[in-house]
Amino acid sequence: MQSVSVLLLIQRSMLFVCLQTHSLLQVSYTSWFLDAFNYAIATNMDVLNLSIGGPDYLDLPFVEKVWEITANNIIMVSAIGNDGPLYGTLNNPADQSDVIGVGGIDYSDHIASFSSRGMSTWEMPHGYGRVKPDVVAYGRDIMGSRISTGCKSLSGTSVASPVVAGMVCLLVSVIPESSRKDTLNPASMKQALVEGAAKLSGPNMYEQGAGRVDLLESYEILKSYKPRASIFPSTLDYTDCPYSWPFCRQPLYAGAMPVIFNATILNGMGVIGYIESPPTWHPLDEVGNLLSIHFTYSEVIWPWTGYLALHMQIKEEGAQFSGEIGGNVTLRVYSPPAQGEKDIRISTCVLQLKLKVVPTPPRSKRVLWDQFHNIKYPPGYIPRDSLDVRNDILDWHGDHLHTNFHIMFNMLRDAGYYVETLGSPFTCFDALRYGTLLLVDLEEEYFQEEIDKLRDDVLNSGLGLAVFSEWYNVDTMVKMRFFDDNTRSWWTPVTGGANVPALNDLLAPFGIAFGDKILNGDFSINGEHSRYASGTDIVRFPRGGYVHKFPFLDSSESGATQNVLRTPEMTMADSPILGLLEVGEGRVVVYGDSNCLDSSHMVTNCYWLLRKILDFTGGNIKDPVLFSNSVKQKSPLYVEDNQLPSRRTDVNFSTYSAVVGKDVICGSDSLFEIWGTKGYSSQIRGTNRRLPGYSVVDLDRGLNSTVDTSNLKHPKLLGENRSDSLGNRYFGLFYGDELDMPVVVPSHWLVPAIIAVTGILLVLSFWRIRQKRRRRRKGSGSGRFSNL
């Protein structure tokens, strides 16, 4: 009888999916979800499915209530999102470690194109994301009830999620009710699902998680389950490609930035747990001693889960080593005794490693990717880079080599380049190790120490610098403002597609600056066609450099956020967009658009151009087309300071920044020897950063002359009115197939949240519960409760 009721539950769950997909009301309030969660706790529910989600993982009232749900031993299953095939698009709450996040596959066991991909982006830019989804299930062309009569086919992770929720209900039903609460919990159920899942051939771990759910295998695990802790994924194998992408795509080598692998600790022994002592690395043989690992991990494992991050670095004595290193990492987790027990519960977790190591590559082939100066939603309203894309107003995919720049990463690896990630200031890397520092689509400010060091690195240490900028226009940003009726306040972007005023400060020692035009159009270089999408122009460049100009439409004065038809008055003029320069011992290249490198909403790629740029910046290889005499500057490009793009004075940028008002410090993504220090620069003063003005540069004097910085102008920062700005979110639509009824979608859906999660709170204040914060259900279903 028990199994029959479970089967009926699955049918009702699928019916709920159908009904809620076609509900005319597609907007609901966070407070409604909080009330529903309270009801789930009060009625002692076992399983809860949520086919909703959104990018705002800093919506603290919602996130904390999810923690409270799982802490009360309710197993939560949630759809991972329908923002695929883009990477870095995981939706909350499915991206939380205590929630079972579900992706979608088709009946051929291929990842559904709509299914969101990992990694999680909570940790950006200072760490590395976790593996999500946890599992995948069938989510394409699933039959369900039509709202009128009959059936229809549904697709979406919102369909896959209740399929897994129904499977969880079946698994719950096999455990005797008398011992159910002692055995089953969010961690033990996730252990059964991920350990029983069938790994698919082809997709990587950030696409499929542990793989396709397998009911029978998970049943066998639960049938003999004893409370224990484990690590997910349990193995990192560089020889297992493509599953272990991106790790299997680039081997380790001495002198590189630490490679970070972020695993999840699942503690089936109790809602709270502790790590007994620091994790230990156990190499299989002597060669394993060439690997140095530092660990960062959860001090408290709650609720049910924590993290274990490995920071892996090859010692200098392994600079010529080529081969594999194997071994395992162990840690012991303990939890308080369960009810009726006297002794604490202890479990040993094992993470197996099989790593590939190569000799340190030549400097010219080593590229350092700047992650530190990236800001993304939800800490602030960061607008999209291409203003032609009107259905996605946010730049929220992480801007990481392994999220929306993952295709570029693969291309660079195929071209023989080794790409490392810098999540700390420029003072935290040794320029003599790298051929090129690659700056793409950056929104952050720069410490004065960084500006000084980079100038020295390029002029005297021979570092190559490649900069891909984006649009920045204050008038356009003002037009993108909207009134949010949740916070009852106006919100505008904190910067443009890139922070051009900050980039101009960084490039000032080289006599280079970007403007504030928003250029669009097609162009061709030596038969290679590209699209320039909402890029900016170059307004300062020294003589003797090489500058490429093309005719583009400037949409910055015509309302870039509006649907504007081209008129005869809107003429196209030649605009400089690409500049190449030899300066001192190094080389600098600037380009005004990053859309051609970003997998999100890309029209055409410019990987061919990037390769030529890196050949120049890293190896001083000059392409004859790029360095044609016809584009050599016989006189400098120059505009006065008052014509350069200016910072907004109505935005308190320090709220979003890791630079403004902060101290220079090298984080755990730097080489171990400089962790917690100010890095390599001998001129660091350790003072708090203020927004700089623009120093006067005589472009005709040459670039080795001293720049006077004594008259820097510092605009006053005004605090922004942020009434009720805590933890608001808006959920994007988990679209499926066509709807039976029209969908009501508001025109503005961004609600920035500026929250730092500093502790673990078990109870939410009642005033937060009553606050109205909108959520939009995700297509093929909405959250429903399964009460066994």
Side-chain angles (χ1 to χ4, degrees), residues 5 34 75 90 110 113 162 246 348 377 404 455 501 538 547 633 639 671 700 726 733 746 769:
S5 64
L34 301 185
I75 300 169
L90 303 175
H110 298 140
S113 59
T348 300
Y377 179 82
N404 49 306
R455 179 184 186 275
I538 300 171
V547 176
Q633 288 295 108
V639 298
L671 295 180
D700 287 330
L726 295 179
L733 183 69
I769 296 176

Side-chain angles (χ1 to χ4, degrees), residues 17-67:
V17 171
C18 302
L19 290 177
Q20 290 302 317
T21 298
H22 310 303
S23 172
L24 181 62
L25 180 62
Q26 289 290 327
V27 175
S28 55
Y29 292 95
T30 297
S31 60
W32 298 353
F33 283 92
L34 301 185
D35 288 340
F37 292 163
N38 285 334
Y39 177 77
I41 295 172
T43 56
N44 198 29
M45 289 187 179
D46 295 295
V47 182
L48 188 154
N49 177 73
L50 282 181
S51 289
I52 54 96
D56 186 359
Y57 51 78
L58 292 184
D59 181 4
L60 196 56
F62 186 87
V63 169
E64 285 184 337
K65 184 57 71 172
V66 171
W67 288 340

